[in-house]
Amino acid sequence: MGIKQKLMMLSVMAGVVVLLISVLGYFQAYKGLRASTEQELVVVVKEQAGLFDGWLREKQRIALDEANLMTALSSMPDLRYLRESISLHKGDADVINIAYGDESGFFMAYRAGVYQSVDVHTRPWYQELMKEKKPFFTEPYEALSTKTLVVSAIAPFEDADGSFAGGICVDISMDSLFEQVRKMHYFGTGNGFLFDSGGKLIVSSSAEYSTGTDLGSISLFSSHADAILAGGTGFFSIRGGNIVAFSRIPSTNWIVCLSVPEKDVFSQLTQLRITYGGLTLFGLFVVALMFFLCTRFAEDITKSVSAIERHAHEIAKGNLALEDLAITSQDEIGSLTESFNTMRHDLCALVHKMSDASNGVARSSRDLVKYVELTAQAAEHISKLASKVTQAMVQQLSDVEIMSMNVDTAFADIDELSSKAMQIAEAVSVGTESIAMLQQDTETVLASMAEGSAGAIKGNQGVEVLEQCFFRLIDEMAGLQRQAKELHALSQTIADKTGYIIDTMGSIDQISRKTSQRVETIEASTEEQEASILEIVAAAQSLEDLATDMNAAVERFRL
């Protein structure tokens, strides 16, 4: 699926989503607004019932105040019968009359005075008061004094002993009730109805229904009469297009009903329907506009992208000799086209550089191989020389060992010569001593002979000759002794020098051994260098192969 089809599908989906959101939003808003409106209508009716209850309690307050006054006047019964005693209603325009009646049958009204011929016990409100003996409101009836329909607030009063003494009747005009019912509305619309606790119509803001009409006979309430009479507060819709809400007045248990046309109650819903309809149409228009714009935009995109795609296929085939793409817009598509043109130029430059670099790499690799081969040859030659040096050093070490042995032998001989020389010197020394002793003996003989005869003179001469011989012998022995000492000294000197030679030869031996070890290390390092050089040769060969492949790849592009 192409970009154009995808954008069209996206527009359709957006339209559907807008429509669904509008429909769902309308129904949710309709449901919530309807519930809140119905609840608001119930609250309005309940509030109207509360206001009605407060208004009625104000009227009942007049009856209670009059009853309290009559109870206070129980010790002065004559004051009870004064017309002025029942005049507390003067300030209230809704009260048209107040009547007084007691157990004696006395009956009077503020407007009509005393009813001489009427016993209060015959009046319905008094009869009910005698039963209830507590405040209450009557149903609508015709007042004796005004001959009009009224609703009365009744309150009992007592004598001083606390016993029931009579009652006060405060007549409230139906017009006042009508005004109160007429005030019932929902934002200025609707009809109010007031029913007593039994479902009889007291008053209505609509002239269509008269007082006393039964609730069930009115079409608006007939289908829900039981629910209304059951008490409480509620609402319901009827087919006539009306919404009815109802509530009870606490003080009287009367029923307040408010009927409002549905179109008025739910006018906001109508406005909501119109608003949502307009928004939906506007949304669909926006979606249609988006569809049109997306179509145009998709055409521009696909046109530019197709051109880029064709050039990309040509570049993938190795054809870089292409014209620049035309830039038709200044948006992202235009930037993409410009970037593609820049990429093609950069790719051309890169291919040129790669071609030059591959050629340089090939040349460098060949030179490297040549240099490495020369280095390998030199290393091999060094290895051979090192091997020869090692052999020569081994031979030298052997010669040094032989020399050391010879020197040791010479040193032993010299030691022996020195020993013999010492022995000669000792012997000569002994001989010298002996000759000295002989000389002494000879001198003694000569001395004796000098004292003897003439023959002794010849002996003396012989002895003198012998003495001379001995003297020469002594001189020779002394010279021999000196020579022996000199020989001994010379032998000692030779021994010292020979020891030095031996020490020197030992040092030479150590140096020769170290040199041999170092030469062996050089030979091993040379072998490792030769192995490394072989690896370099292999790497250089791989580099040359890579350069060949690079050249092949570059040759695929036509510039």
Side-chain angles (χ1 to χ4, degrees):
M1 183 181 293
I3 297 177
K4 184 176 181 180
Q5 289 76 14
K6 289 180 181 179
L7 289 175
M8 292 174 64
M9 181 177 292
L10 181 63
S11 299
V12 173
M13 291 176 63
V16 173
V17 169
V18 168
L19 185 60
L20 288 176
I21 291 175
S22 298
V23 173
L24 292 176
Y26 168 74
F27 279 108
Q28 289 295 327
Y30 179 84
K31 182 179 178 181
L33 186 58
R34 184 181 180 89
S36 64
T37 302
E38 291 172 348
Q39 188 65 31
E40 184 182 23
L41 180 60
V42 171
V43 170
V44 168
V45 172
K46 193 172 182 178
E47 182 182 359
Q48 295 292 339
L51 294 175
F52 217 125
D53 181 68
W55 184 81
L56 289 173
R57 288 182 184 276
E58 289 178 1
K59 312 310 171 188
Q60 191 179 48
R61 183 77 261 168
I62 297 174
L64 292 173
D65 290 343
E66 286 288 356
N68 291 334
L69 177 61
M70 296 304 164
T71 300
L73 295 177
S74 60
S75 60
M76 297 177 286
D78 293 340
L79 295 178
R80 288 181 174 178
Y81 301 139
L82 294 177
R83 177 174 173 271
E84 288 77 10
S85 299
I86 52 174
S87 61
L88 295 180
H89 68 290
K90 284 185 176 181
D92 194 333
D94 298 327
V95 177
I96 61 175
N97 195 19
I98 294 181
Y100 169 89
D102 57 25
E103 284 296 284
S104 65
F106 181 78
F107 182 33
M108 72 172 179
Y110 179 80
R111 295 185 64 177
V114 178
Y115 295 99
Q116 298 292 340
S117 59
V118 179
D119 188 347
V120 73
H121 292 90
T122 62
R123 300 304 297 169
W125 63 268
Y126 195 83
Q127 293 174 358
E128 185 174 354
L129 177 62
M130 291 174 63
K131 296 177 183 179
E132 298 292 337
K133 291 185 174 61
K134 64 180 181 179
F136 65 92
F137 284 89
T138 67
E139 296 178 0
Y141 68 97
E142 185 178 293
L144 184 63
S145 60
T146 61
K147 303 300 180 180
T148 59
L149 288 176
V150 295
V151 172
S152 299
I154 309 299
F157 61 88
E158 300 173 349
D159 284 330
D161 58 0
S163 61
F164 176 73
I168 299 296
C169 175
V170 177
D171 295 335
I172 304 171
S173 67
M174 295 298 289
D175 291 338
S176 298
L177 290 175
F178 175 78
E179 285 299 323
Q180 295 300 318
V181 172
R182 193 175 63 83
K183 292 178 181 179
M184 295 173 56
H185 60 81
Y186 178 76
F187 294 104
T189 185
N191 291 320
F193 296 85
L194 180 63
F195 295 92
D196 63 17
S197 59
K200 300 296 184 180
L201 180 64
I202 297 176
V203 67
S204 169
S205 60
S206 175
E208 185 178 354
Y209 307 104
S210 60
T211 302
T213 303
D214 188 70
L215 184 146
S217 64
I218 300 175
S219 60
L220 289 174
F221 314 112
S222 58
S223 59
H224 296 84
D226 295 337
I228 296 174
L229 293 174
T233 302
F235 74 94
F236 55 87
S237 300
I238 56 177
R239 252 183 218 183
N242 290 328
I243 301 295
V244 176
F246 57 90
S247 183
R248 292 270 182 170
I249 299 176
S251 61
T252 62
N253 207 28
W254 291 350
I255 303 170
V256 174
C257 295
L258 178 62
S259 173
V260 184
E262 187 174 6
K263 64 181 182 62
D264 295 332
V265 175
F266 299 118
S267 60
Q268 294 180 350
L269 294 179
T270 303
Q271 184 64 33
L272 178 67
R273 187 181 299 113
I274 295 172
T275 301
Y276 264 92
L279 290 176
T280 302
L281 293 176
F282 178 74
L284 293 176
F285 171 75
V286 171
V287 170
L289 181 61
M290 288 176 57
F291 178 79
F292 174 74
L293 294 177
C294 286
T295 302
R296 293 293 301 274
F297 182 60
E299 289 179 355
D300 295 338
I301 292 176
T302 52
K303 183 178 179 181
S304 299
V305 171
S306 297
I308 294 174
E309 183 181 9
R310 288 192 299 271
H311 276 59
H313 281 305
E314 290 297 322
I315 292 174
K317 294 176 182 179
N319 182 18
L320 294 178
L322 301 172
E323 296 292 335
D324 285 342
L325 294 172
I327 300 175
T328 58
S329 62
Q330 299 300 322
D331 53 9
E332 289 80 0
I333 300 299
S335 298
L336 176 62
T337 304
E338 183 179 2
S339 299
F340 185 84
N341 291 333
T342 303
M343 181 193 70
R344 189 186 65 81
H345 290 301
D346 293 342
L347 186 59
C348 289
L350 178 61
V351 169
H352 283 297
K353 290 181 181 179
M354 287 176 60
S355 178
D356 297 338
S358 63
N359 293 329
V361 168
R363 289 192 300 270
S364 299
S365 63
R366 288 193 294 270
D367 294 339
L368 180 61
V369 170
K370 184 185 298 182
Y371 295 150
V372 168
E373 289 176 352
L374 294 175
T375 304
Q377 293 175 3
E380 184 178 0
H381 181 66
I382 291 171
S383 177
K384 291 179 180 179
L385 292 177
S387 178
K388 291 180 180 180
V389 171
T390 303
Q391 293 176 0
M393 292 300 295
V394 171
Q395 184 64 37
Q396 181 182 4
L397 181 61
S398 177
D399 294 341
V400 169
E401 289 178 353
I402 295 172
M403 184 184 293
S404 179
M405 292 173 61
N406 293 331
V407 170
D408 289 339
T409 303
F411 185 73
D413 294 340
I414 291 171
D415 287 340
E416 186 178 357
L417 177 61
S418 178
S419 178
K420 289 180 180 182
M422 289 296 293
Q423 292 176 2
I424 292 171
E426 289 177 358
V428 171
S429 178
V430 173
T432 302
E433 291 177 355
S434 298
I435 292 171
M437 291 177 65
L438 180 59
Q439 183 180 8
Q440 291 178 0
D441 291 338
T442 302
E443 288 178 355
T444 301
V445 173
L446 289 176
S448 297
M449 289 178 66
E451 295 177 357
S453 59
I457 294 171
K458 293 181 180 180
N460 190 21
Q461 293 176 349
V463 171
E464 288 177 356
V465 173
L466 180 60
E467 184 178 1
Q468 291 176 358
C469 291
F470 274 117
F471 277 126
R472 285 194 301 270
L473 179 61
I474 290 171
D475 292 335
E476 291 178 357
M477 289 299 292
L480 181 61
Q481 185 177 8
R482 287 191 301 270
Q483 292 177 357
K485 288 182 180 179
E486 292 176 357
L487 179 62
H488 175 71
L490 179 59
S491 299
Q492 186 65 38
T493 302
I494 292 171
D496 293 338
K497 291 182 179 181
T498 304
Y500 174 75
I501 292 170
I502 291 172
D503 293 338
T504 303
M505 293 304 293
S507 300
I508 292 172
D509 177 57
Q510 292 179 358
I511 293 171
S512 298
R513 291 179 183 274
K514 291 182 180 179
T515 303
S516 178
Q517 293 176 355
R518 291 174 180 174
V519 169
E520 290 177 356
T521 304
I522 291 172
E523 185 176 3
S525 300
T526 304
E527 291 177 355
E528 293 179 357
Q529 182 180 7
E530 184 176 358
S532 299
I533 290 172
L534 292 176
E535 292 179 358
I536 292 173
V537 171
Q541 187 62 42
S542 300
L543 183 61
E544 184 176 4
D545 295 338
L546 178 62
T548 303
D549 295 338
M550 188 181 296
N551 281 325
V554 170
E555 289 174 356
R556 291 182 55 225
F557 294 96
R558 297 188 298 275
L559 303 176

